Amino acid sequence: MAGLGSPVRTLRSLVRELRYVSAQAGRPYRDTAAYRHLREAFRAHRVTSEKLCRAQHELHFQAATYLCLLRSVRQHLALHQEYHAKGERSTEEAAGLVGLKLPQQPDLTAMQLWFLNEQWNLI
């Protein structure tokens, strides 16, 4: 359980993810049933005078798991929107998706073309 961090940090992160989700839906996050459930659950499982509060650790683990799910879904949607096929892409756009650049074609004037043509004819 040491890798989970503090329960308050987990709750704040969950609320942040709920804000992202509710912003897309166009309504305040405080009106969602998920927010009300999280708030009530965290208030019901506050740290008590007991040395080991198994219910609090279990809630924290479940909250961290749910946080991971929400983040993963948000990141998946962002990646899907960026890389999902939007029809036919040019070679330049496809190379840009993977971080490559196409080589630049030189702009040749008529004199340079004539010179190259003459040079190849001599060989």
Side-chain angles (χ1 to χ4, degrees):
M1 297 286 169
L4 293 177
S6 76
V8 174
R9 185 175 182 186
T10 304
L11 178 62
R12 286 181 180 165
S13 297
L14 276 168
V15 169
R16 186 180 315 117
E17 292 297 324
L18 287 176
R19 283 183 192 148
Y20 289 136
V21 172
S22 63
Q24 293 173 353
R27 62 182 208 192
Y29 71 95
R30 291 180 184 229
D31 293 344
T32 62
Y35 174 75
R36 287 191 299 270
H37 174 72
L38 283 171
R39 187 184 61 206
E40 291 169 7
F42 269 87
R43 283 183 181 168
H45 292 89
R46 288 184 184 163
V47 177
T48 62
S49 61
E50 299 175 23
K51 291 189 178 205
L52 178 63
C53 184
R54 187 176 303 239
Q56 186 212 7
H57 291 297
E58 183 178 330
L59 173 73
H60 189 196
F61 181 76
Q62 287 177 349
T65 305
Y66 186 58
L67 173 62
C68 181
L69 172 72
L70 288 176
R71 281 184 181 160
S72 299
V73 167
R74 180 175 50 86
Q75 291 170 353
H76 168 75
L77 289 175
L79 288 172
H80 183 71
Q81 288 175 351
E82 185 175 346
Y83 292 110
H84 186 66
K86 298 174 184 169
E88 192 67 28
R89 292 191 176 162
S90 69
T91 309
E92 222 172 288
E93 289 174 338
L97 280 176
V98 294
L100 300 175
K101 291 184 180 177
L102 295 178
Q104 297 294 323
Q105 296 293 331
D107 293 329
L108 299 176
T109 61
M111 185 61 114
Q112 290 171 331
L113 286 172
W114 176 82
F115 177 75
L116 288 174
N117 195 15
E118 289 296 317
Q119 194 175 20
W120 285 104
N121 286 337
L122 293 176
I123 297 176

